[in-house]
């Protein structure tokens, strides 16, 4: 499987499920790219334009931003995540991914003061126990869990629903920097420049679950990303705490 084709496909702008469907249908990234560029399947002109960019230019772009592209099958790809069939073929990474599974601490953006306090305490306790903390760097519970981890001097992973070079929410820029300073990582399956569009967030929750040995839901609404993460963790056979 060509690494160049895998990188080009990761930069396509296609939904992750669409990428998997096309690679399975046509027998790999190269054939999937050919099907899109030759108009055998429906795609927007922007996606075709993205696929036309040579991999060497994409690699130079990543290098200039200090971002690495970690592919499945490479030693740097998280072994715990690699066990699951729907794991991303390629991760964009800034920093250093932990070599051991993490504990995910997730919840709603619209949380209570009690929920914030609890998430902070959990992030701190998990870090002090020696486990990396993984969450989504979002407002509310996610941010509080990361702050607790930072306060304890632990390691963590922030999984984004946008490009790593796109700060969302903007007020968490410093929090993301602190995660990196403590030896953690910021991760996304979306290429640099990807906006935080609503459709990008549900797929990223499978990465949070897949990186984890357990998932803790602090507070969650009836619908939302935290419950998606919990459901996916249950499908993966991971313990879920709430």
């Amino acid at each position: 499987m060509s690494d160049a084709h895998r990188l080009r496909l990761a930069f396509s702008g296609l939904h992750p499920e669409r990428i998997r469907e096309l690679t399975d249908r046509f027998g790999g990234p190269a054939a999937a790219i050919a099907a899109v560029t030759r108009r055998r399947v429906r795609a927007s002109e922007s996606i075709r334009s993205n696929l036309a960019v040579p991999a060497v230019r994409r690699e130079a772009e990543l290098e200039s931003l200090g971002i690495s592209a970690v592919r499945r099958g490479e030693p740097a790809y998280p072994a715990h995540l690699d066990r699951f069939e729907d794991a991303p073929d390629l991760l964009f990474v800034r920093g250093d991914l932990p070599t051991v599974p993490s504990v995910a601490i997730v919840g709603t953006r619209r949380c209570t003061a009690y929920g914030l306090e609890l998430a902070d305490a959990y992030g701190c306790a998990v870090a002090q126990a020696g486990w990396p903390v993984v969450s989504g760097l979002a407002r509310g519970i996610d941010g509080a869990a990361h702050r607790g981890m930072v306060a304890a001097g632990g390691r963590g992973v922030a999984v984004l629903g946008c490009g790593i070079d796109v700060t969302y929410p903007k007020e968490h820029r410093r929090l993301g920097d602190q995660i990196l300073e403590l030896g953690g990582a910021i991760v996304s399956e979306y290429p640099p420049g990807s906006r935080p569009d609503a459709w990008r967030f549900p797929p990223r929750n499978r990465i949070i679950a897949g990186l984890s040995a357990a998932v803790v839901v602090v507070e969650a609404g009836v619908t939302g990303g935290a419950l998606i993460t919990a459901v996916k963790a249950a499908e993966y056979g991971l313990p879920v705490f709430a």
Side-chain angles (χ1 to χ4, degrees):
M1 189 187 300
S2 169
D3 285 348
H5 291 134
R6 295 166 74 182
L7 184 61
R8 289 172 62 199
L9 197 56
F11 268 93
S12 66
L14 289 164
H15 191 286
E17 292 180 3
R18 182 62 167 159
I19 290 177
R20 286 196 298 276
E21 187 268 326
L22 290 175
T23 53
D24 290 345
R25 176 180 170 188
F26 292 102
I33 291 171
V36 175
T37 55
R38 294 172 185 173
R39 301 179 185 275
R40 294 175 60 190
V41 296
R42 186 177 299 175
S44 68
E45 288 305 316
S46 65
I47 288 173
R48 292 193 176 93
S49 296
N50 289 340
L51 288 171
V53 178
V56 66
R57 279 182 52 189
R58 297 303 194 189
E59 290 168 354
E61 179 181 346
L62 292 175
E63 184 177 359
S64 69
L65 294 169
I67 297 171
S68 58
V70 179
R71 300 163 178 83
R72 291 188 85 167
E74 294 179 343
Y77 195 93
H80 198 69
L81 178 63
D82 193 33
R83 299 185 305 157
F84 306 114
E85 183 180 357
D86 60 350
D89 180 60
L90 186 150
L91 290 172
F92 295 99
V93 179
R94 180 174 281 162
D96 299 305
L97 282 167
T99 57
V100 296
S102 305
V103 173
I105 304 174
V106 297
T108 178
R109 292 170 173 83
R110 300 178 178 180
C111 57
T112 66
Y114 170 72
L116 287 174
E117 182 180 350
L118 199 60
D120 186 289
Y122 282 156
C124 183
V126 169
Q128 289 176 336
W131 291 82
V133 174
V134 60
S135 198
L137 202 65
R139 295 184 180 97
I141 297 300
D142 290 17
H146 285 304
R147 285 191 291 273
M149 176 273 298
V150 167
R155 294 187 67 194
V157 182
V159 184
L160 306 187
C162 57
I164 292 175
D165 60 331
V166 178
T167 302
Y168 180 81
K170 291 184 178 181
E171 64 265 28
H172 284 178
R173 178 187 294 274
R174 177 58 186 151
L175 185 55
D177 290 342
Q178 290 173 317
I179 291 172
L180 296 176
E181 290 165 5
L182 287 168
I186 299 178
V187 177
S188 178
E189 66 182 315
Y190 304 115
S194 299
R195 300 176 301 180
D197 299 317
W199 64 266
R200 298 185 191 276
F201 287 88
R204 69 90 182 255
N205 293 306
R206 79 191 192 288
I207 303 175
I208 294 175
L211 288 171
S212 305
V215 171
V216 179
V217 182
V218 179
E219 283 184 334
V222 176
T223 60
L227 290 191
I228 295 174
T229 306
V231 169
K232 182 56 68 173
E235 291 175 358
Y236 288 164
L238 305 173
V240 178
F241 301 91

